[in-house]
Amino acid sequence: AELAADAEPDASLAAELRAGWLTTARLEVPLRARAAALTYELAEHPPPGDNYGERALLAHIAGQLTFDAAPRAQALELTRRALADGALLRDETSDGMAWIAAMGALGWGDYFDEYEALLDAALADSRRRGSVLGFATAAYGLSFSHFYRGMLSDAVADAELAVAAERDGWRHFLTAGRAQLAWALVERGELAAAGAQLALAEAGATAGQASAHALVLESPAPLQLVLGAHRAALDTALASDPV
């Protein structure tokens, strides 16, 4: 509001404030609809990406478009502009959140080579700065691509590294990390261990409060399927769909 009243508003600061709000709102269930509306408003005329705030906005736009099944080429072009050859990650380090939106656009778009290159850069940044939280987020991200590439042992190891950082205060993707670990364990036939991870996710302090909880609602379905409870697996999957 103060910027809007300014005769010469700081465009860079305005972009950063909007990006900061989107960072939170896209992860909070009650705010997601408002966040999506703002994102699509921005997508009509995407910012050029000349500063951190604009690069962060581009990352959120790309992430939203990917999740809403917009043309992959459009989301990829925006993602590359957001990342700006590593500038976004340098701007906020692996402890930031906007680069994770870009990561999601690459991962869910199946651009795994670029996705893993970004994660490797995030891991290098976290090691250089000694950031446990940045390392855990990057490990969680790698568990995703390793799972979908069929590298189950790596997927389990990555997810275990991520969730172990709970003791150091890692919370942002803990729920999703446990769900992801459970998926990989199911595929390896470790059903009891998978069930234990799901139980921990359900009992977590943030259970039901974040959008990632949908992953926990869906995760029992593969386990039920393997156990032969086909009807229950279908019901679980359908119940986890917010549409």
Side-chain angles (χ1 to χ4, degrees), residues 132-133 136-137 140 162-163 165-174 177:
V132 175
L133 304 185
T137 298
Y140 156 73
V163 301
E166 179 184 14
R167 63 176 177 264
D168 296 298
W170 188 67
R171 296 288 185 275
H172 281 312
F173 300 100
L174 180 60

Side-chain angles (χ1 to χ4, degrees), residues 99 119 123 133-144 146 154-155 157-163 170 180:
W99 74 271
L119 268 297
L123 282 174
L133 304 185
F135 180 87
T137 298
Y140 156 73
L142 281 175
S143 71
F144 172 92
H146 286 157
D154 289 329
D158 293 331
E160 287 178 337
L161 283 172
V163 301
W170 188 67
Q180 204 157 278

Side-chain angles (χ1 to χ4, degrees), residues 74-202:
Q74 179 188 11
L76 178 62
E77 192 270 334
L78 292 171
T79 302
R80 287 172 172 167
R81 281 170 53 187
L83 293 172
D85 294 322
L88 180 60
L89 189 59
R90 290 192 297 272
D91 288 337
E92 62 178 13
T93 77
S94 56
D95 290 341
M97 293 289 287
W99 74 271
I100 298 169
M103 176 188 79
L106 292 174
W108 290 109
D110 293 340
Y111 297 105
F112 286 142
D113 289 342
E114 291 183 68
Y115 176 90
E116 291 186 358
L118 173 60
L119 268 297
D120 287 341
L123 282 174
D125 170 81
S126 68
R127 290 186 174 113
R128 185 168 56 251
R129 296 182 305 103
S131 172
V132 175
L133 304 185
F135 180 87
T137 298
Y140 156 73
L142 281 175
S143 71
F144 172 92
S145 61
H146 286 157
F147 176 81
Y148 284 103
R149 285 187 188 270
M151 302 164 63
L152 296 179
S153 293
D154 289 329
V156 168
D158 293 331
E160 287 178 337
L161 283 172
V163 301
E166 179 184 14
R167 63 176 177 264
D168 296 298
W170 188 67
R171 296 288 185 275
H172 281 312
F173 300 100
L174 180 60
T175 296
R178 290 199 184 282
Q180 204 157 278
L181 177 54
W183 296 344
L185 289 169
V186 168
E187 292 296 324
R188 291 213 312 183
E190 300 177 38
L191 306 186
Q197 287 299 323
L198 290 176
L200 287 171
E202 286 284 8

